[in-house]
Amino acid sequence: MAPLTAFVLAMALPAVASAFGQDFYVGFASRILIMAMLATSLNLLVGLGGMVSLGHAAFFGAGAYVVGILATEWRGVGNYALLAWPLAMALSAALALIIGAISLRTRGVYFIMITLAFAQMLFYVALSLKAYGGDDGMSLSQRSSLPGLDLAIDSHFYYVVLALSAAVFMLYQRLCAARFGRVLLGIKDNEARMESLGYPVYRYKLAAFVIAGAVAGLAGALMANQNSYVSPNMMHWEQSGVALVMVILGGLGNIWGGLAGAAAFLIIEEALSAFTKHWAIGVGAILLAVVFFAPRGIAGLWTAKR
Amino acid sequence: MNLLEIRGMVKRFGGLAATDGVDLDVRQGEIHAVIGPNGAGKTTLIGQVCGTLAPDAGRILFAGVDATRLAPHQRAELGLARSYQITSLFPNFSVIDNVALAVQARSGSSFRFWQPVADERQLADAAQDILDRVGLGDLGQRTAAALSHGEHRQLEMALALATRPRLLLLDEPMAGMGGEESAHMVKLIEDLRGDYSVLLVEHDMDAVFRLADRISVLVAGRIIATGSVAEIRADAEVRLAYLGEDEA
Amino acid sequence: MSGVLLIEQCLNGIQFGLMLFLLAAGLTLVFGIMDLINLAHGSLYMIGAYLAATLTQATGSFLLGLPLAVIATAVIGMVLEVSVLRHLYRRDHLSQMLATFALIMIANEATRAIWGVQSLTLNVPEALSGSVAVLPGVTYPAYRLLIIAVGVLVAMLLYVLVTRTRMGMLVRAGASNREMATAMGTDIRRLFTLVFGIGAALCALAGAMLGPLLAVQVGMGENILILAFVVVVIGGIGSIRGAFVGALLVGVVDTFGRAFIPSTLRAFAPPSVADAAGPSLAAISIYLLMVMVLFWKPQGLFPSRG
């Protein structure tokens, strides 16, 4: 029941934060949840299917650009969340289908590098979109609109993010336990054997890649709203690296790995930056410690204790 | 009736022909052994039957279907299952989940994203039946990596059986086994007779002579003789090429 | 396009390719022998450039500052190998990426803390600031010619080192069969440290040589790191010869792309579009090259493992 307790606490957050006059934390929590969605989608690839992608931010950025471009090109209607967000997912899924179809013909290190290469290509495409800010990126004049809610209010937006991320975590959990998840785990453990048992391995991997891409696209669409800003840096390889770091930090293949990793990374960053402007050194040192002392990640530590 | 027909199978590595025009038939219901000295092309032949190696020439008919260009998973769907000479399992899965994963492969689509596998009792039940059959019935909850070598070989066999194959390709099932384990495995294969057609590639001559309905002898990439155990024992050419002069 | 321009761009491409080779040589050896994905390789390049700038200023001479920076960076690299990276050789690629990503964060922030956020300038030595006639009617900057000369010299030295010495023999054995190299003796640990030190020295040399042409700033390592990885993958992991061919290929394609794609594009598209898309297309061409090579030869041009 721990997830339910956590969900109830998360529901109460905006009220508590505003009671203490700390409204900043509502936006901060939204950012954590959005990054957790991105990390969870990557965990589906890396933790479940053993596909180490260093280009996952491409789909995150693509989702963000869909929101940004629709809002500029099609004032009013282009702002509808119910139009823009599904479109963001669809475009990211389509890109994942193309990129995955080619990349999944390679394995191991070559897969890492080829996903990186595709993400860099999209990064440079975004850089060349002078009409949409080029390398400066573009500011959004307002958040997407949803009937019945005012997403410009941080707490409203937070509740939407909370609901969507809860849905993503639930989807991930169901996937893990369902046939599809077993197949992915099997592929991670012994791909050749899966093939000889009669599983069309490539198709399963591609399906996972597309699902992960779509979820990353949704996270990107939400992040564009959260920051009211879209830039090519959302697709930069370091962003992919951060997502990967969050997954490993949180716990590979663990249902809560994405959330734990995103929360830990952003909270550490926030906490250290209160003390020193050179907080990145501290974050780096903590990550090194995790590699050497907690190889199964934070969620792994917690599961081990129980 | 022939379940498997191999005609003129060739595979070259560089200039060297590992299989050089192999013709081989496996009849429905028989245990057909392939023997041959090291380097005769047995491993290559297995790769070509399973589809992990593309042939340079030749044809494979499996259950009346031209399987020459099919991918490994497509051949498995037609009913071809294999065991590996070097154990190939899912080390991080429990023993029963290993088998359940194999059962799942042949029981409908696995593009199911929502319903937990744990709810599908029939997968676990079928897996338990097979574990009982190979003698691992009590070890279902162990992690596969924790089994002994002999148990690994039994689990390897269980995985192959779990896909309900029409043809079982066993790649040296006795490899690395002690006398007792070996005898157990022979008994296990003996029990398969009638239920499955088996293509057995094996070094252990005693086992082959005891199990096989027919034997094919592979030497330097070609089948030099095919016949019953008695015929192969009597064949002068086989004795010269393979069984060694001292036995002749 | 004129012949002069063509020759000039050829030389530019070779010059950039040779510097990429310096980075890729160390990277491919570490990758091939120790099976280590070292994302922090670019940080050594950055550190080398900063040290060269500082030491040149302190000694008043580029010719003194450069070798000092190279030696200092080699020492830093070896300390890094002994203290952190050595413990990662037997870990999986994910742990390696997490740990070396952490090192990037630490190195970047430490650099900011020591040298500040402003980029440093490293000036071309007075004597080399002019141009030389390489062919009748074709002049080329003397400093860039020096870079080419140094690059060729180092490539030849490396070739001799790898093919003619006992150490090189061990390195080659290690790249094609790690177990065998490990079985060869206990001095393998020292060999690894030494190889890493040489790799770091080559990074510093590239950083210092390119310093006067590019800005010496934080983040310079990450961009060139990705290009170096592309070179390594194109050439075949662990292959020095592959790194050499791959580096020249990437250097020339990148330079020609930047020089000719925008102008070619202007013939077909309005200038505004061409100017925006041109540089991006040029950058993308490198990654396309890699995808095509991997499609054609999944193990790179010179696979070193059977």
Side-chain angles (χ1 to χ4, degrees):
Chain A
M1 284 296 96
L4 200 64
T5 321
F7 188 75
V8 170
L9 284 178
M11 289 289 289
L13 178 94
V16 175
S18 106
F20 286 92
Q22 300 285 334
D23 289 316
F24 159 81
Y25 286 105
V26 176
F28 182 60
S30 298
R31 255 176 63 218
I32 289 180
L33 289 174
I34 295 169
M35 289 311 284
M37 288 167 81
L38 176 66
T40 302
S41 70
L42 184 58
N43 209 356
L44 175 70
L45 292 183
V46 185
L48 218 49
M51 293 168 266
V52 182
S53 164
L54 193 48
H56 205 53
F59 311 120
F60 184 63
Y65 267 91
V66 168
V67 167
I69 291 175
L70 275 180
T72 15
E73 289 299 321
W74 198 2
R75 287 190 183 279
V77 180
N79 237 7
Y80 291 165
L82 291 178
L83 174 76
W85 298 359
L87 266 181
M89 292 179 76
L91 178 80
S92 293
L95 284 172
L97 182 66
I98 299 167
I99 293 175
I102 299 171
S103 304
L104 287 168
R105 299 194 177 278
T106 64
R107 290 196 163 70
V109 172
Y110 294 95
F111 181 75
I112 297 177
M113 296 310 301
I114 206 163
T115 48
L116 172 66
F118 277 114
Q120 287 290 95
M121 289 186 209
L122 288 177
F123 169 75
Y124 283 107
V125 168
L127 217 53
S128 75
L129 297 175
K130 285 284 186 298
Y132 306 109
D135 53 355
D136 292 330
M138 61 200 296
S139 292
L140 308 181
S141 55
Q142 54 181 339
R143 286 190 175 153
S144 301
S145 58
L146 259 186
L149 290 168
D150 184 1
L151 297 188
I153 300 171
D154 274 347
S155 62
H156 283 206
F157 183 68
Y158 168 78
Y159 282 123
V160 171
V161 171
L162 182 63
L164 287 173
S165 59
V168 166
F169 301 144
M170 191 158 148
L171 173 75
Y172 182 79
Q173 193 204 354
R174 298 296 301 215
L175 264 184
C176 280
R179 280 188 168 210
F180 187 73
R182 307 299 292 177
V183 172
L184 285 183
L185 269 178
I187 292 171
K188 184 187 179 191
D189 234 18
N190 191 342
E191 184 168 341
R193 188 47 147 160
M194 287 300 279
E195 186 88 27
S196 81
L197 285 178
Y199 287 104
V201 163
Y202 176 79
R203 253 179 272 163
Y204 285 99
K205 285 163 85 170
L206 188 55
F209 203 81
V210 171
I211 294 170
V215 174
L218 177 61
L222 293 175
M223 194 55 107
N225 274 285
Q226 164 64 24
N227 296 341
S228 298
Y229 176 65
V230 176
S231 89
N233 281 337
M234 292 179 80
M235 301 190 188
H236 194 263
W237 79 264
E238 285 186 83
Q239 183 68 57
S240 298
V242 165
L244 203 50
V245 163
M246 286 175 174
V247 171
I248 311 169
L249 180 66
L252 279 172
N254 192 301
I255 292 161
W256 302 109
L259 179 61
F265 190 89
L266 293 175
I267 289 173
I268 292 169
E269 191 179 285
E270 195 63 38
L272 287 178
S273 63
F275 292 107
T276 164
K277 62 176 176 167
H278 301 303
W279 51 267
I281 296 180
V283 175
I286 290 172
L287 292 183
L288 272 183
V290 167
V291 173
F292 288 110
F293 302 114
R296 287 175 58 218
I298 296 169
L301 277 181
W302 188 68
T303 337
K305 254 192 223 137
R306 278 199 305 175
Chain B
M1 186 202 132
N2 288 332
L3 182 58
L4 179 73
E5 283 182 28
I6 301 172
R7 293 287 173 271
M9 192 56 79
V10 176
K11 178 76 193 175
R12 290 187 198 84
F13 295 105
L16 205 78
T19 50
D20 190 12
V22 171
D23 297 319
L24 185 72
D25 295 326
V26 178
R27 292 181 193 146
Q28 185 73 48
E30 75 169 343
I31 297 182
H32 190 130
V34 172
I35 60 173
N38 282 326
K42 297 193 295 285
T43 307
T44 306
L45 181 61
I46 289 168
Q48 288 175 306
V49 173
C50 295
T52 50
L53 282 176
D56 294 324
R59 251 159 49 90
I60 293 182
L61 276 173
F62 180 65
V65 178
D66 185 348
T68 315
R69 296 284 155 214
L70 295 185
H73 71 87
Q74 291 169 315
R75 297 181 196 208
E77 276 167 41
L78 283 178
L80 177 70
R82 71 173 293 189
S83 75
Y84 287 76
Q85 183 183 344
I86 298 164
T87 304
S88 178
L89 304 167
F90 303 99
N92 296 314
F93 281 55
S94 70
V95 169
I96 191 149
D97 283 349
N98 261 272
V99 185
L101 195 56
V103 174
Q104 186 185 320
R106 289 296 301 279
S107 57
S109 168
S110 284
F111 280 100
R112 296 189 197 167
F113 303 96
W114 198 253
Q115 189 197 4
V117 179
D119 291 357
E120 299 189 54
R121 283 303 314 169
Q122 80 282 6
L123 291 182
D125 292 345
Q128 187 59 45
D129 286 348
I130 292 160
L131 283 181
D132 289 339
R133 180 161 194 175
V134 301
L136 292 175
D138 298 332
L139 301 178
Q141 298 311 316
R142 291 257 194 101
T143 306
L147 296 185
S148 72
H149 177 75
E151 289 161 350
H152 274 150
R153 305 302 304 171
Q154 286 164 272
L155 183 54
E156 182 74 49
M157 181 72 86
L159 285 191
L161 290 178
T163 59
R164 285 182 284 117
R166 308 169 72 167
L167 176 66
L168 208 51
L169 197 163
L170 303 178
D171 186 359
E172 303 204 9
M174 261 65 90
M177 279 190 161
E180 198 180 325
E181 288 174 331
S182 219
H184 184 82
M185 186 59 78
V186 169
K187 174 80 173 49
L188 192 60
I189 298 171
E190 189 91 82
D191 289 346
L192 299 179
R193 192 189 304 278
D195 294 350
Y196 299 91
S197 311
V198 177
L199 180 59
L200 171 69
V201 178
E202 181 53 59
H203 262 305
D204 183 338
M205 278 308 133
D206 293 338
V208 167
F209 286 146
R210 192 166 148 203
L211 287 170
D213 297 310
R214 289 196 303 156
I215 299 175
S216 291
V217 184
L218 184 67
V219 175
R222 290 169 172 277
I223 300 288
I224 60 163
T226 296
S228 68
V229 173
E231 284 165 350
I232 293 299
R233 274 184 194 272
D235 191 304
E237 195 187 352
V238 173
R239 287 161 72 164
L240 195 66
Y242 181 55
L243 295 177
E245 311 245 344
D246 41 325
E247 278 188 51
Chain C
M1 92 189 55
S2 73
V4 175
L5 185 64
L6 198 64
I7 292 171
E8 215 174 83
Q9 294 302 339
C10 270
L11 287 171
N12 280 344
I14 291 169
Q15 172 245 309
F16 185 50
L18 284 168
M19 289 301 106
L20 273 180
F21 170 68
L22 296 188
L23 281 160
L27 197 59
T28 202
L29 283 181
V30 169
F31 211 158
I33 308 173
M34 294 90 141
D35 197 26
L36 173 75
I37 299 188
N38 180 17
L39 296 178
H41 199 69
S43 299
L44 293 165
Y45 164 83
M46 172 186 74
I47 291 169
Y50 269 94
L51 286 176
T54 306
L55 292 168
T56 297
Q57 209 169 28
T59 60
S61 156
F62 185 65
L63 286 182
L64 220 53
L66 177 96
L68 284 176
V70 168
I71 293 168
T73 310
V75 171
I76 292 173
M78 285 193 276
V79 169
L80 204 61
E81 198 272 345
V82 172
S83 58
V84 179
L85 298 173
R86 166 176 292 181
H87 308 289
L88 292 170
Y89 295 154
R90 298 202 165 273
R91 300 287 295 274
D92 58 19
H93 285 151
L94 276 172
S95 306
Q96 296 172 351
M97 285 162 76
L98 177 59
T100 53
F101 195 84
L103 288 178
I104 294 183
M105 295 184 77
I106 295 173
N108 279 350
E109 204 50 50
T111 306
R112 261 187 222 116
I114 296 169
W115 280 285
V117 289
Q118 295 282 326
S119 62
L120 300 188
T121 48
L122 184 58
N123 291 321
V124 174
E126 200 69 31
L128 293 167
S129 56
S131 286
V132 184
V134 283
L135 280 173
V138 185
T139 59
Y140 195 69
Y143 182 72
R144 284 176 181 264
L145 275 183
L146 176 75
I147 293 185
I148 292 179
V150 169
V152 169
L153 193 70
V154 171
M156 288 196 312
L157 272 176
L158 262 183
Y159 180 77
V160 172
L161 192 70
V162 170
T163 57
R164 296 286 138 84
T165 64
R166 183 181 142 74
M167 180 191 151
M169 190 201 70
L170 281 172
V171 164
R172 271 181 299 145
S176 56
N177 185 338
R178 210 168 318 121
E179 280 72 34
M180 185 171 77
T182 319
M184 273 180 186
T186 47
D187 60 347
I188 204 79
R189 279 161 74 99
R190 258 184 303 161
L191 175 77
F192 281 7
T193 310
L194 191 62
V195 167
F196 206 87
I198 292 175
L202 293 175
C203 277
L205 183 61
M209 296 295 292
L210 284 178
L213 302 180
L214 312 165
V216 176
Q217 60 191 6
V218 172
M220 65 189 285
E222 278 74 84
N223 292 328
I224 205 154
L225 168 78
I226 297 306
L227 283 184
F229 265 118
V230 169
V231 165
V232 167
V233 169
I234 288 180
I237 294 166
S239 164
I240 291 271
R241 191 165 36 137
F244 187 74
V245 174
L248 287 181
L249 209 57
V250 169
V252 169
V253 168
D254 184 71
T255 307
F256 271 60
R258 277 172 213 287
F260 299 121
I261 288 180
S263 54
T264 314
L265 216 54
R266 240 170 265 143
F268 303 103
S272 62
V273 174
D275 289 347
S280 281
L281 275 177
I284 286 170
S285 62
I286 300 297
Y287 299 103
L288 269 181
L289 175 73
M290 180 179 118
V291 171
M292 284 189 306
V293 167
L294 282 188
F295 212 79
W296 172 53
K297 292 201 117 182
Q299 305 271 304
L301 294 175
F302 298 92
S304 66
R305 279 205 188 105

